[in-house]
Amino acid sequence: MSSGGDRKRVVWKLCLLPLAGWMVLALGGYVPTERLAGAAGVRAMLLGQGLVALVVFATLLSAMRRMVGRSPVDGFKIALTAGVVRFFVTVPLLAGVAWGGRVPVIAFLVWAAITYVVMVMLEAIALTLWTNYLESEKRC
């Protein structure tokens, strides 16, 4: 069986996947957003992306922690629950910021939505790899 240090290392490596995706989105969105919405639009983009990324990382780490020692079926249920929680946390959070009117709403919501879709896909990949790791850990 692998040690706790190995498990922590795998967790951090898997967290790099959504982090890298978020960085690519931020870098790729900077120029077009700056041209279309100016500096305020870039700040709104980064705020939307940051809020989504924060919620995704929180649900990802929580799900990974809860999946340890569980069957793959239970792990799948945990991942689905994390997705539901993520949605019901993210939507009101984004709506509240958009409703506040302190950011360019279009840039904020467009980038938040794009980031949400990309981050959910990357989170699903990370959770699949985590499930595979936990199963291989059981076989050792």
Side-chain angles (χ1 to χ4, degrees):
M1 186 172 240
S2 296
S3 70
D6 289 341
R7 189 179 286 166
K8 286 180 183 178
R9 203 169 17 263
V10 171
V11 167
W12 289 115
K13 283 181 182 179
L14 292 175
C15 286
L16 288 176
L17 185 62
L19 178 63
W22 177 31
M23 291 172 63
V24 168
L25 285 170
L27 290 172
Y30 181 84
V31 171
T33 303
E34 203 262 331
R35 286 185 182 161
L36 293 171
V42 171
R43 284 190 299 276
M45 174 192 77
L46 292 173
L47 177 61
Q49 289 179 342
L51 290 174
V52 169
L54 181 68
V55 173
V56 167
F57 281 113
T59 58
L60 173 63
L61 290 172
S62 174
M64 290 172 87
R65 183 178 42 79
R66 291 178 55 223
M67 290 169 80
V68 174
R70 304 289 179 96
S71 71
V73 172
D74 288 339
F76 182 72
K77 290 177 185 176
I78 290 167
L80 287 178
T81 302
V84 170
V85 168
R86 180 185 52 253
F87 180 80
F88 284 116
V89 169
T90 305
V91 170
L93 181 63
L94 295 177
V97 171
W99 184 269
R102 295 179 186 221
V103 296
V105 175
I106 303 239
F108 175 76
L109 290 177
V110 164
W111 278 108
I114 292 168
T115 303
Y116 187 87
V117 170
V118 171
M119 295 291 281
V120 166
M121 287 188 288
L122 294 173
E123 181 189 45
I125 293 168
L127 288 175
T128 301
L129 294 171
W130 180 242
T131 300
N132 291 343
Y133 172 79
L134 291 174
E135 286 301 302
S136 70
E137 193 178 63
K138 285 180 187 177
R139 286 188 286 258
C140 291

